[in-house]
Amino acid sequence: MNMTSNIPAPTLPIATPETTPASVRARSAIELQAASVVFGTGETAVTALSPTTLKMASGEFLALVGPSGCGKSTILKLVSNLIRPSAGVVLVGGREAAARKLRIGMAFQNPTMLPWLTIEQNVMMPLKIVEPFKRSYRQDKKGAFRDRVHALLKQVGLGDFANHFPWQLSGGMLQRSNLCRALIHEPDLLLLDEPFGALDQFTREELWQIMQDLYLDRAPTVLLVTHDLREAGFLASRICVMSARPGRVISDEPVTLPQPRDIATIYSPEFVEMTQNLREMIAQARSS
Amino acid sequence: MSDNLRTRFLSTSLIVGFFLLWEVLCIILNVSDLVLPRPSEILVTMYNRFPVLWPHILQTLSTTLIGFAFGVTIGVALGVIVGTSKVAYAVAYPLLVGFSSIPKVAVVPIFVLWFGSGTTPAILTAMVICVFPIVVNIATGLATTEPELEDVLKTMGASRSEILWNVGLPRAMPYFFASLKVAITLSFVGAVLSETVASNMGIGFVMMTASSNFQVSLVFAGLILLALMGVILYAIFSLLERRITGWATRGNDIAIT
Ligand SMILES: Nc1ncnc2c1ncn2[C@@H]1O[C@H](COP(=O)(O)OP(=O)(O)OP(=O)(O)O)[C@@H](O)[C@H]1O
Ligand SMILES: [Mg+2]
């Protein structure tokens, strides 16, 4: 895609390796068919997600918003195959989620860095596990991969912290490392669970820019969970609103503003109107 | 840093003070050599008999270390099996804890019965006695791994063995090293015990013969050698532990400028 952003674009250090075949990408990236999730059995059963149907085309950027506890994280876990649906079907890249047709990068809501590894080693972990990087991990971990990790960390402002341990970083810094770990292996499908939650406004806007450039450049499919309506409006090509627990999708609208967007867009009348509408919808969803 | 130095100074002076007190009390109370020799006498004996003692020291150390190595290997393997499988954990864990509370001393006569006296029962005792703490600790470390940490690797499509290598085992390391410190000491006790009962080599044997010949200062020389060896082995493994699992204690050194 194009890179006609009028903001100087920080580029990601990317040497694109073989990606998922076009035949797979052409199909819808994610398809939930009446998928529901119930935790536990009998009296203690909790419905985390009532039957939800949701379809995402390849290359779409979908923002998922909704009140706390409505099952947004649960949807991400379904797609990344951490949990199986209690009923219904979850297809990723046209196959069962367990088949792992797409290369997934996930940023968890809580940045769970492995405490015995430095930030650099943590961020490098996908390169150790995911094909095709895995094959050359031994040769490249001290060279190309390391440079790549450092460049990415630098881009999110963590250049000086590569050799620190997770407990030596602040919450927001951990979240940025978490984001790096989701991006480093150039996934086809990005699952981001409130990745900018613990950041100050300016850092957040900076990362929005990076995220947008990355999206426009590589066109991955992105499923972003967020509580920030401006974030959803700025980044997404489509916004889904979920109802209160047990959640289901109550609104599904494309964002018509042209991309790339610039931070000033946020203050434009159309944008404000859009977020106002979303806000009301969520307010209703909460009270119902 | 100065705190550290002070602690070291204090513990050194405690040890030195202990031996001084021993020496002085023996002199003041006029204690017979046959009951409690003075530290200085023990040192002299140790020095004079060192050429004789040396092969026994090597024997005790090697049986301990060989038994310990076997014990660690078996312990880690069993621990991984028990810790990675929920079923095995539920079924085997209570059993293991039960086993580990059996006094292992009781196995010495059985090993002697099977393998005769000598090196073999000493190695086996050293092994058996140290297996259980290792199994229990590895299994606990693996079984208590936070699912969130495993989820990180699962989303990358990691296999079970990759998860074990990259999350489970590193996570279990602090437990493992804590158990190693205990295990090496136990192995040592086991080896010496077996030597005392049935062997013609090792410090345990030396002490046994010395005591039947009323060479009291030699008995004490043996005891002090054992204490030294035990402390050194323990120190080596604590050092290893600190080097490898520093992340678990988070070296909380705040710079004061
Ligand atoms: N492992 C679990 N066991 C039982 N219930 C669970 C579990 N995980 C989630 N739930 C329940 O499922 C519901 C949805 O959880 P989920 O984490 O998907 O919410 P969310 O939309 O991500 O909320 P938030 O915005 O606060 O992160 C919650 O009400 C929660 O109580
Ligand atoms: Mg959530």
Side-chain angles (χ1 to χ4, degrees):
Chain A
M1 285 212 179
N2 58 357
M3 281 282 291
T4 50
S5 171
N6 46 3
I7 299 115
T11 44
L12 275 172
I14 275 163
T16 309
E18 60 194 78
T19 41
T20 311
S23 57
V24 175
R25 294 190 64 115
R27 273 179 244 144
S28 60
I30 298 177
E31 211 173 327
L32 271 70
Q33 299 168 356
S36 64
V37 175
V38 180
F39 286 108
T41 48
E43 304 227 325
T44 55
V46 179
T47 308
L49 188 69
S50 38
T52 299
T53 298
L54 183 71
K55 208 166 164 173
M56 259 181 90
S58 241
E60 223 175 354
F61 195 134
L62 190 146
L64 200 55
V65 296
S68 177
C70 70
K72 302 182 297 294
S73 298
T74 304
I75 289 183
L76 293 196
K77 284 180 188 163
L78 276 175
V79 173
S80 61
N81 193 38
L82 286 178
I83 53 176
R84 311 277 137 81
S86 309
V89 180
V90 177
L91 299 179
V92 177
R95 297 274 306 275
E96 290 273 326
R100 311 202 123 267
K101 275 308 241 184
L102 298 180
R103 194 190 299 160
I104 293 178
M106 179 149 174
F108 288 87
Q109 190 164 6
N110 304 315
T112 39
M113 296 280 127
L114 305 180
W116 51 88
L117 297 181
T118 60
I119 295 302
E120 175 190 313
Q121 292 164 327
N122 263 295
V123 173
M124 211 184 275
M125 188 54 82
L127 303 179
K128 188 175 181 183
I129 303 292
V130 179
E131 294 285 9
F133 306 97
K134 189 174 165 178
R135 260 173 264 162
S136 60
Y137 179 74
R138 268 170 194 282
Q139 297 108 275
D140 286 345
K141 67 176 169 185
K142 291 262 161 63
F145 286 180
R146 195 167 163 273
D147 296 343
R148 185 185 172 114
V149 169
H150 277 244
L152 186 56
L153 283 174
K154 201 166 174 186
Q155 209 179 355
V156 300
L158 290 178
D160 296 334
F161 289 87
N163 296 319
H164 283 58
F165 282 92
W167 39 270
Q168 296 170 315
L169 269 63
S170 73
M173 289 160 114
L174 283 175
Q175 243 186 358
R176 282 180 272 162
S177 335
N178 193 25
L179 186 67
C180 288
R181 185 173 59 190
L183 296 175
I184 192 73
H185 55 302
E186 296 169 24
D188 310 309
L189 177 55
L190 261 175
L191 304 173
L192 307 176
D193 202 343
E194 298 177 39
F196 312 114
L199 300 172
D200 66 279
Q201 189 63 33
F202 292 98
T203 315
R204 191 180 305 186
E205 283 172 6
E206 224 171 86
L207 288 182
W208 289 355
Q209 292 284 355
I210 294 174
M211 201 61 231
Q212 171 167 274
D213 293 335
L214 176 97
Y215 171 65
L216 294 178
D217 186 35
R218 292 204 60 243
T221 311
V222 187
L223 181 47
L224 168 77
V225 170
T226 178
H227 287 294
D228 185 339
L229 298 177
R230 291 186 304 169
E231 179 173 304
F234 179 76
L235 286 169
S237 54
R238 179 177 154 204
I239 299 178
C240 286
V241 180
M242 289 183 70
S243 69
R245 198 189 76 80
R248 65 203 161 70
V249 178
I250 50 170
S251 152
D252 185 346
E253 297 285 336
V255 181
T256 46
L257 300 166
Q259 280 179 304
R261 296 167 197 151
D262 113 18
I263 293 290
T265 318
I266 292 176
Y267 303 99
S268 72
E270 307 114 284
F271 194 96
V272 172
E273 194 192 319
M274 177 179 75
T275 47
Q276 286 282 7
N277 288 341
L278 284 171
R279 200 183 165 279
E280 251 154 57
M281 207 139 30
I282 296 170
Q284 272 174 15
R286 269 168 55 92
S287 58
S288 65
Chain B
M1 205 58 217
S2 69
D3 259 9
N4 202 345
L5 220 69
R6 221 179 99 201
T7 326
R8 267 198 213 151
F9 175 73
L10 281 178
S11 48
T12 315
S13 39
L14 189 69
I15 295 168
V16 173
F18 171 75
F19 284 108
L20 274 181
L21 192 71
W22 178 352
E23 182 89 33
V24 171
L25 280 180
C26 279
I27 294 171
I28 294 175
L29 301 175
N30 202 8
V31 181
S32 156
D33 293 359
L34 286 179
V35 179
L36 183 66
R38 284 175 283 126
S40 55
E41 283 175 321
I42 297 170
L43 264 180
V44 170
T45 312
M46 215 190 283
Y47 182 78
N48 288 337
R49 306 293 291 272
F50 195 74
V52 185
L53 286 171
W54 182 240
H56 294 285
I57 294 176
L58 286 185
Q59 168 76 11
T60 301
L61 272 182
S62 58
T63 45
T64 301
L65 290 177
I66 295 171
F68 176 69
F70 280 121
V72 171
T73 314
I74 296 172
V76 169
L78 279 179
V80 167
I81 294 170
V82 174
T84 46
S85 143
K86 281 219 169 60
V87 181
Y89 190 75
V91 173
Y93 196 83
L95 213 66
L96 280 171
V97 175
F99 261 126
S100 62
S101 58
I102 298 175
K104 264 28 124 261
V105 186
V107 300
V108 178
I110 299 174
F111 286 147
V112 173
L113 191 70
W114 288 345
F115 303 100
S117 63
T119 311
T120 318
I123 290 179
L124 287 178
T125 313
M127 179 188 95
V128 165
I129 209 168
C130 80
V131 162
F132 292 103
I134 294 174
V135 177
V136 169
N137 275 280
I138 290 263
T140 309
L142 288 175
T144 57
T145 303
E146 296 82 352
E148 292 80 25
L149 295 183
E150 293 179 349
D151 283 354
V152 169
L153 277 255
K154 278 188 197 159
T155 56
M156 298 172 196
S159 65
R160 279 179 64 117
S161 70
E162 280 172 327
I163 293 176
L164 179 67
W165 276 109
N166 290 295
V167 180
L169 288 179
R171 165 60 226 257
M173 275 303 120
Y175 292 81
F176 176 59
F177 277 95
S179 75
L180 278 192
K181 280 191 306 190
V182 177
I184 188 68
T185 325
L186 286 178
S187 279
F188 188 60
V189 170
V192 173
L193 199 87
S194 179
E195 282 168 2
T196 316
V197 178
S199 180
N200 47 12
M201 274 297 268
I203 296 292
F205 163 74
V206 170
M207 286 174 70
M208 212 52 199
T209 24
S211 107
S212 51
N213 296 336
F214 293 102
Q215 293 170 299
V216 182
S217 63
L218 188 57
V219 176
F220 275 90
L223 186 70
I224 288 182
L225 278 177
L226 286 181
L228 265 177
M229 282 151 75
V231 168
I232 289 172
L233 288 175
Y234 182 88
I236 290 173
F237 283 93
S238 329
L239 204 75
L240 262 181
E241 178 186 25
R242 235 183 309 154
R243 287 295 300 272
I244 297 177
T245 62
W247 63 267
T249 47
R250 313 198 158 177
N252 41 9
D253 37 36
I254 295 165
I256 298 166
T257 48

